[in-house]
Amino acid sequence: MDTNLGNAKLESAQRLEAVHWLINEHRFEDARSELGKLSAGVSQSGDDILIGTFHYAQAALAFHHKPPREVLGEALKAYELVSATAENRVIGRLQALLGKIYIALGDLKAGEAFIRDAISSFRRIDRDDELVGCYNKLAQLYFIRGEFKLADNFLAESLELLESLPETSELAVNKARGNRARVQILIGEWKQARQTLEGCVEVARRTGSSASEAKNLLSLGYVMYLQEEYALARQTLDRAYELIRQNNLIRERAIYHEYMGELCQALGDLRMSREHYEHAIEIGNRIAPESAIISQTERRIAELEYRVGNLALAEDHARRAREVAESVGESIEVAGADKILAALKAVDGNYAESAELFGDLIASIDHAGELRELAHAYYIAGKSLLKSDAYREAASRYLHASLRLADKLVITSLQIGCHYQFSLLEVQARQYDEALSHLSKCEAMAAEKRDDRSIEECRILRMKIEEDMVDSGLSNENEYSLFSSLLSRIEYGSLKSGSLEDTLKVLRDRLHGKRAFILSYDSVSNNFEPLAALEFDQTRLNKVTKALSNGRGGSLPLDRPLLVSHLSTDRRRMFDFLGIDDDQIDGFLSIPIQLSQDTDGLIYVDRNHDVADSFSQANLQFAIAFSDIIAFKSSEEQKRRLAEDNRRLKDQLQKQLAFPNIITSNPEMLETLERVNQVKDSSISILIEGETGTGKDLLAKALHYNSNRRDRRFVSVNCAALPETLLESELFGYKRGAFTGADGEKVGLFEEADGGTFFLDEIGDLPLSVQVKLLRVIEEKEVVRLGETTPRSVDVRIISATNADLKKAMENGEFRQDLYYRLSTFAVKLPPLRERTEDLPLLIRHFVSKLDPEVKVEPEAFRILADYNWPGNIRELENELKKLVLLAGEKKSISSYMISRRITDSLKESGHKPAEPVGDFSLYEYLGRLEREFIVEALRKAEGVKKHAAEALSIPESTLRLKMKQYHIKLDI
């Protein structure tokens, strides 16, 4: 009887052990069926251990299907039955089950106590296989608490035991390795986690476990994202999604959308990021409304909305994330939500509350050991608090802590952000050199990462820093405002006695620059002219001044200094138009200076790559202060050059207007010039008559600059261009109050021309009221200003010109007879160009050579130009040739089709035939013969020296050689 009872108990115990195995294998229906068969026999056995084991099996089975609170009573009842026995295996299992139940109920302290008791029980009987589950459960508990380092330790112990067990399956080991790798991701051991997950993926693929492969691919894609390998991360996550879809893994589908949302956010695709987060929320609400999936996704959405400035939405999502995280005991997610809430408090100006909340949440994340989240929390804290003077030091500490972790984990995006925020901190402290140093590091990393958004932000910040540096240099903060004591004796001596180049060299050397120049700027002509340059060859300097004068693509400002501390790719393109681009140049500065009331100037200094740092704040301040010295030196240099230019221009003008240089072979013109030459030094009034464009003003200037009055002023007035009231005041001047608007005294043009020549063009349009006063000037040699009665003596030689018939004007009472005879004491008349046809070839050749010596006129075009009667005379001819030379372009050839239609149409109407011969020769042949005679004569006068002959002909020597060959001219002529 006793033997049968013992055998029955043994069989029941063995069958209960089989039920335990079925439950662990998730074969719940088989386990339930087996328990139903054992129920009557176990309850009749009267054995506490057997009954307790039965109740354990019932509770373990119910734990997978019922709420934890409904299972607790069954488990405690079983534990009460066996706790006083020596059956450590059953006791340990019940302790482990109770630990799981209490953890599920949120009583982590009780849960941990039971799990640790279970570990002790299993160790007493060397049940390593049972210890594996306990270590895993402790790891889960510490994971929930956010103590990831402890969780990793227990997972490591569990994995070590699992690998040592002889009957452990490869899939079980693979699952344990994947779980540990996911914790390693959180504590920043990304390299080790990635290697492990790659192995797990391979094992899952080889064994055909597609669900396991999907889970491990998800984690692998996420760690790739953390390592900022975005393209590879996307590919891996997409591979995971295909397996998730095939196996209908609902929870993993939600995690996929979480990870993809974070990846899209990092890539700047905020629309797709929101879509993925919405999918994750929808799945989370369907399977577990109060779960980590919801809290994590809500926190990620809050971060996205905070980033784009949707602060109200950011706060709503952060509060929802915090609420769910608290309900499930996810302390790390509570801290993550608080991070956004703390940042929002700083935005509202509540810096004290923000700083306190940041302190608490950072301590919580630090305790958890999740390094990436800690690095980001430090960064957000530093970024949020740096605008507060009271918390700026704390902000700096947080940013330094963030940068240390970013360097350790190699999070480039976070390194870029930290250096950018450091730059902002230094700008607030007006430490511009340090600000630029951080910004340069930020730019270098952003360029390497090809982060266009950060590159643009850096570009904007650099321009702001440069502007702030300029403002500081212009303010009273400039320590070099009185800097003579800071210069060496040699430098100071160079300023006093040295040239402008010497002065510029002092500045260039002090700034450790490479090249420099000083330009003057004429606002009337919009032209720049170089005054001094260092390390600029003349060709490059001419290119710079031309580009600035044209304003092609922009210009250097003339109202405030410009600092370009670093010529990045985009900024280098901005300044390419200057023509000073050089791969070795890293930055430059320009400073406007005042040279006179009407003239500005510009100082430019650049710096080479071989200088480690960019221009500093001290460099800029010194340059701005020193620019006053350069302005003074430049002004003196400009005055000296202007004086030289005046002398040179006078000499040049006298040479150009010498009578022998007036282009003509017309007998009437030659006779006129001879007559004028005889009276050039006389004070006699001269009247020049002739049609518009015949060169009356040219002859007047030639008269002046070849006379004994050449060193005094030549004043020209067009009588038709000024109204009567203005003409009178301009000619004779006025005193203050002479008429409305006469706010001061004005010297008249007659007084300004004292000792020189006064040229009155279009004299026929002079009003009668002014004619009376002009007569007085001629007869009495004196003028009376408007508003005065006292005459002023003047010595002027009057030359007048007109294209009107003054005799007819006298008859009509429009011109005074006495004035006419005073003006026409010596009268000359210039013939129109149509009466000087022999001069046309000479004038055409002269103007074309003057405009561009390389341009040639094709025969047919030459014939047309020579045949036209030129009603506008020489002026019309010159304007037409200017246009034709421009149209000649690179071909350097003027063709007949380029000639204005009014000319060709006029010739057609008059029956012009281009190839019509003139005598025995065509016009071209006639001109060719004339050209040969000119060349022969020039060579004869130059005694055969081609260089001198070419100069006399105003053509290049190469052209002369070509013509000699064309006309078979020998040097023995």
Side-chain angles (χ1 to χ4, degrees):
M1 182 70 181
D2 291 338
T3 301
N4 291 335
L5 182 60
N7 290 337
K9 288 182 179 180
L10 180 60
E11 181 183 354
S12 295
Q14 290 173 343
R15 291 175 68 182
L16 284 170
E17 185 67 20
V19 169
H20 173 74
W21 181 85
L22 288 171
I23 293 171
N24 284 344
E25 292 296 314
H26 287 198
R27 293 171 59 180
F28 301 127
E29 290 301 323
D30 292 342
R32 187 176 290 107
S33 173
E34 191 64 24
L35 280 175
K37 297 174 184 178
L38 288 169
S39 177
V42 170
S43 59
Q44 294 173 6
S45 68
D47 189 321
D48 289 345
I49 293 175
L50 196 63
I51 295 171
T53 303
F54 179 82
H55 285 299
Y56 156 74
Q58 282 190 315
L61 179 62
F63 182 71
H64 290 282
H65 302 284
K66 293 182 179 180
R69 193 166 299 282
E70 295 181 17
V71 183
L72 180 61
E74 185 88 13
L76 287 173
K77 179 180 178 181
Y79 185 60
E80 184 179 353
L81 288 169
V82 300
S83 59
T85 71
E87 192 62 37
N88 285 307
R89 182 174 61 173
V90 179
I91 292 172
R93 287 175 178 173
L94 274 165
Q95 289 168 334
L97 177 61
L98 284 166
K100 293 178 184 179
I101 293 170
Y102 278 114
I103 290 172
L105 290 171
D107 189 348
L108 302 184
K109 185 176 180 180
E112 180 180 5
F114 273 110
I115 295 295
R116 289 191 178 278
D117 288 343
I119 290 173
S120 298
S121 296
F122 290 135
R123 280 177 175 165
R124 292 191 193 101
I125 56 176
D126 295 326
R127 289 304 300 263
D128 289 347
D129 56 332
E130 302 282 3
L131 284 173
V132 169
C134 293
Y135 286 144
N136 283 336
K137 187 52 66 175
L138 272 183
Q140 180 190 2
L141 184 147
Y142 286 117
F143 185 90
I144 294 171
R145 284 180 175 173
E147 299 179 49
F148 300 128
K149 195 66 181 177
L150 284 173
D152 180 61
N153 291 339
F154 281 110
L155 285 175
E157 288 193 49
S158 170
L159 181 59
E160 184 178 353
L161 282 175
L162 195 62
E163 290 174 334
S164 67
L165 295 175
E167 296 181 0
T168 302
S169 68
E170 185 179 25
L171 287 178
V173 172
N174 201 48
K175 179 181 178 181
R177 286 174 179 168
N179 288 337
R180 189 184 179 200
R182 279 177 267 281
V183 175
Q184 286 176 324
I185 292 173
L186 297 176
I187 60 177
E189 295 180 5
W190 296 343
K191 184 178 180 181
Q192 181 60 45
R194 181 168 177 171
Q195 291 177 349
T196 301
L197 288 167
E198 286 171 346
C200 290
V201 168
E202 183 58 35
V203 170
R205 183 183 295 112
R206 177 166 46 79
T207 57
S209 179
S210 57
S212 175
E213 183 182 355
K215 294 176 183 178
N216 287 313
L217 279 172
L218 269 182
S219 299
L220 181 59
Y222 188 65
V223 77
M224 288 171 174
Y225 152 72
L226 295 177
Q227 292 178 315
E228 299 183 338
E229 297 182 30
Y230 296 146
L232 195 56
R234 183 188 290 274
Q235 293 174 9
T236 305
L237 290 173
D238 286 343
R239 284 170 55 201
Y241 185 73
E242 284 301 312
L243 294 172
I244 290 169
R245 188 177 55 79
Q246 292 171 14
N247 290 273
N248 196 27
L249 303 175
I250 305 301
R251 184 175 182 278
E252 282 69 25
R253 190 190 294 261
I255 295 172
Y256 162 79
H257 286 300
E258 273 188 67
Y259 290 170
M260 280 299 293
E262 200 165 342
L263 175 60
C264 290
Q265 184 175 338
L267 291 170
D269 190 347
L270 304 186
R271 183 184 63 81
M272 283 302 300
S273 178
R274 283 191 179 91
E275 286 188 15
H276 281 293
Y277 288 151
E278 288 170 3
H279 287 310
I281 290 289
E282 186 272 326
I283 295 170
N285 284 330
R286 181 156 33 98
I287 63 173
E290 301 293 324
S291 66
I293 291 175
I294 298 297
S295 64
Q296 290 168 9
T297 308
E298 289 284 1
R299 188 253 306 165
R300 286 180 166 98
I301 296 174
E303 290 175 348
L304 185 151
E305 300 298 353
Y306 170 74
R307 171 183 169 181
V308 299
N310 296 331
L311 304 185
L313 281 174
E315 183 175 6
D316 289 344
H317 286 289
R319 292 197 182 282
R320 170 63 176 157
R322 193 182 198 287
E323 178 186 340
V324 175
E326 277 190 315
S327 70
V328 296
E330 288 273 3
S331 60
I332 196 69
E333 284 302 321
V334 171
D338 282 343
K339 175 181 67 179
I340 303 302
L341 295 173
L344 291 172
K345 289 182 181 296
V347 172
D348 291 337
N350 299 324
Y351 291 109
E353 294 181 38
S354 175
E356 183 179 1
L357 187 53
F358 272 125
D360 293 341
L361 70 91
I362 284 173
S364 176
I365 298 172
D366 190 19
H367 179 71
E370 186 176 351
L371 298 186
R372 179 178 181 270
E373 186 62 27
L374 182 61
H376 278 275
Y378 280 137
Y379 173 73
I380 295 296
K383 179 181 177 181
S384 300
L385 299 175
L386 65 81
K387 293 181 180 178
S388 167
D389 293 338
Y391 292 96
R392 193 166 293 145
E393 187 176 344
S396 179
R397 290 198 304 272
Y398 282 137
L399 288 172
H400 276 103
S402 178
L403 185 58
R404 283 194 297 272
L405 286 175
D407 290 342
K408 177 180 179 181
L409 298 173
V410 195
I411 309 176
T412 307
S413 58
L414 196 55
Q415 291 171 317
I416 291 171
C418 287
H419 283 297
Y420 185 86
Q421 298 303 323
F422 276 129
S423 187
L424 290 176
L425 266 175
E426 299 296 353
V427 169
Q428 290 176 354
R430 298 189 178 183
Q431 299 298 319
Y432 300 117
D433 298 343
E434 289 79 0
L436 286 176
S437 176
H438 281 292
L439 196 60
S440 294
K441 294 176 183 176
C442 184
E443 288 170 329
M445 288 186 285
E448 184 176 353
K449 192 184 176 187
R450 298 180 180 178
D451 183 351
D452 293 338
R453 180 171 177 269
S454 295
I455 289 171
E456 178 62 14
E457 288 178 346
C458 289
R459 185 186 70 82
I460 294 171
L461 179 56
R462 180 175 286 276
M463 293 177 69
K464 181 187 183 304
I465 293 172
E466 292 165 354
E467 285 291 301
D468 288 352
M469 290 174 72
V470 169
D471 289 338
S472 177
L474 294 171
S475 71
N476 294 329
E477 298 175 4
N478 191 337
E479 60 182 297
Y480 297 102
S481 293
L482 295 174
F483 61 84
S484 59
S485 61
L486 302 176
L487 298 174
S488 69
R489 188 170 60 182
I490 295 175
E491 288 174 330
Y492 194 65
S494 295
L495 298 185
K496 293 178 66 177
S497 60
S499 66
L500 184 57
E501 284 80 5
D502 294 332
T503 308
L504 182 59
K505 189 174 186 299
V506 171
L507 175 64
R508 195 258 327 249
D509 293 347
R510 270 304 186 100
L511 301 184
H512 305 293
K514 179 186 179 186
R515 305 179 304 179
F517 60 68
I518 305 171
L519 304 180
S520 66
Y521 172 68
D522 185 343
S523 59
V524 177
S525 63
N526 194 34
N527 282 331
F528 285 86
E529 293 293 338
L531 296 179
L534 299 172
E535 300 295 329
F536 271 96
D537 60 75
Q538 193 60 44
T539 302
R540 178 65 62 86
L541 193 59
N542 289 341
K543 185 178 180 182
V544 172
T545 54
K546 183 178 180 181
L548 281 170
S549 299
N550 292 339
R552 187 172 63 252
S555 185
L556 298 177
L558 289 168
D559 56 344
R560 64 183 279 112
L562 171 67
L563 170 65
V564 177
S565 56
H566 173 59
L567 270 178
S568 56
T569 302
D570 60 316
R571 300 194 76 179
R572 186 176 293 279
R573 286 196 297 267
M574 289 170 57
F575 296 101
D576 277 349
F577 75 91
L578 287 174
I580 56 175
D581 51 300
D582 187 322
D583 291 340
Q584 299 303 312
I585 299 303
D586 188 53
F588 69 84
L589 62 86
S590 70
I591 302 172
I593 53 178
Q594 189 73 38
L595 301 181
S596 69
Q597 185 176 355
D598 302 319
T599 309
D600 296 318
L602 195 67
I603 304 169
Y604 168 93
V605 182
D606 60 31
R607 181 174 277 186
N608 208 334
H609 277 302
D610 56 14
V611 179
D613 300 321
S614 59
F615 286 112
S616 67
Q617 184 179 3
N619 290 152
L620 179 62
Q621 290 182 340
F622 180 86
I624 291 173
F626 195 80
S627 65
D628 288 340
I629 295 291
I630 291 185
F632 174 76
K633 282 279 189 179
S634 299
S635 180
E636 291 297 313
E637 174 68 13
Q638 189 182 42
K639 289 177 182 177
R640 183 187 66 80
R641 291 191 178 190
L642 283 173
E644 288 183 356
D645 286 346
N646 281 337
R647 286 193 297 271
R648 179 179 55 80
L649 288 171
K650 278 187 177 181
D651 292 342
Q652 183 180 358
L653 195 56
Q654 289 172 12
K655 182 178 178 181
Q656 289 177 348
L657 297 175
F659 291 169
N661 288 338
I662 293 181
I663 309 298
T664 183
S665 62
N666 177 262
E668 185 180 348
M669 273 295 295
L670 292 172
E671 182 181 349
T672 298
L673 294 176
E674 178 61 30
R675 290 177 60 214
V676 168
N677 189 50
Q678 293 174 1
V679 298
K680 66 179 186 297
D681 293 329
S682 170
S683 295
I684 192 171
S685 297
I686 297 177
L687 175 64
I688 306 173
E689 296 178 296
E691 295 180 7
T692 299
T694 52
K696 298 186 293 296
D697 56 340
L698 181 66
L699 181 57
K701 290 177 182 177
L703 263 166
H704 172 76
Y705 287 106
N706 283 277
S707 73
N708 53 14
R709 294 175 178 263
R710 67 177 68 90
D711 293 328
R712 306 306 293 270
R713 289 199 61 183
F714 175 85
V715 176
S716 175
V717 173
N718 188 320
C719 299
L722 295 173
E724 180 177 347
T725 53
L726 187 57
L727 180 62
E728 188 172 358
S729 64
E730 287 293 317
L731 291 177
F732 303 107
Y734 54 81
K735 65 173 287 187
R736 181 186 181 92
F739 51 84
T740 303
D743 298 327
E745 291 194 356
K746 176 177 174 58
V747 177
L749 293 176
F750 275 115
E751 290 182 66
E752 289 190 7
D754 189 24
T757 302
F758 201 102
F759 177 52
L760 289 161
D761 199 7
E762 305 299 344
I763 189 67
D765 293 312
L766 193 67
L768 286 169
S769 60
V770 181
Q771 290 179 28
V772 177
K773 293 192 174 186
L774 176 58
L775 187 60
R776 179 187 181 117
V777 175
I778 298 173
E779 291 179 342
E780 306 296 335
K781 301 292 185 182
E782 59 185 23
V783 295
V784 179
R785 293 183 183 178
L786 295 179
E788 290 185 352
T789 56
T790 304
R792 299 169 185 265
S793 297
V794 291
D795 174 22
V796 293
R797 196 249 188 97
I798 293 179
I799 302 175
S800 54
T802 181
N803 63 357
D805 187 345
L806 292 184
K807 291 181 179 179
K808 187 175 181 180
M810 284 190 297
E811 293 173 1
N812 295 334
E814 297 171 352
F815 201 86
R816 292 180 63 93
Q817 188 176 29
D818 50 0
L819 178 59
Y820 172 76
Y821 290 118
R822 287 292 187 182
L823 292 174
S824 61
T825 305
F826 185 90
V828 294
K829 185 170 184 178
L830 298 182
L833 192 53
R834 60 184 173 274
E835 296 176 8
R836 296 168 51 190
T837 53
E838 62 272 78
D839 286 344
L840 272 171
L842 301 176
L843 290 169
I844 293 170
R845 193 175 295 108
H846 166 75
F847 285 131
V848 171
S849 178
K850 178 183 173 182
L851 293 167
D852 189 340
E854 296 183 12
V855 171
K856 304 301 175 190
V857 184
E858 293 181 3
E860 179 61 20
F862 205 109
R863 293 188 192 106
I864 294 172
L865 293 171
D867 276 5
Y868 185 54
N869 64 3
W870 300 105
N873 295 297
I874 297 173
R875 186 176 299 146
E876 183 186 10
L877 172 64
E878 184 177 10
N879 289 337
E880 179 68 17
L881 290 172
K882 284 180 180 178
K883 183 199 77 172
L884 292 175
V885 168
L886 287 174
L887 293 176
E890 296 180 358
K891 291 177 63 177
K892 301 294 184 182
S893 179
I894 296 175
S895 302
S896 58
Y897 70 85
M898 299 177 184
I899 298 174
S900 300
R901 285 192 61 182
R902 59 183 172 76
I903 296 175
T904 55
D905 289 349
S906 174
L907 289 173
K908 287 178 182 178
E909 290 174 5
S910 64
H912 169 75
K913 296 180 180 179
E916 187 74 27
V918 180
D920 294 333
F921 301 96
S922 69
L923 177 59
Y924 183 67
E925 290 169 333
Y926 172 81
L927 295 173
R929 187 172 68 175
L930 190 62
E931 186 178 55
R932 187 181 190 281
E933 290 174 1
F934 266 76
I935 294 172
V936 170
E937 182 62 19
L939 286 167
R940 183 176 291 116
K941 289 181 179 179
E943 298 180 350
V945 179
K946 289 187 286 294
K947 180 180 180 182
H948 295 165
E951 289 175 352
L953 293 166
S954 298
I955 62 174
E957 187 178 346
S958 59
T959 303
L960 175 62
R961 293 179 181 276
L962 184 63
K963 294 290 184 182
M964 289 176 64
K965 185 177 180 181
Q966 179 183 347
Y967 297 127
H968 306 287
I969 298 172
K970 307 295 183 182
L971 282 177
D972 57 351
I973 53 177

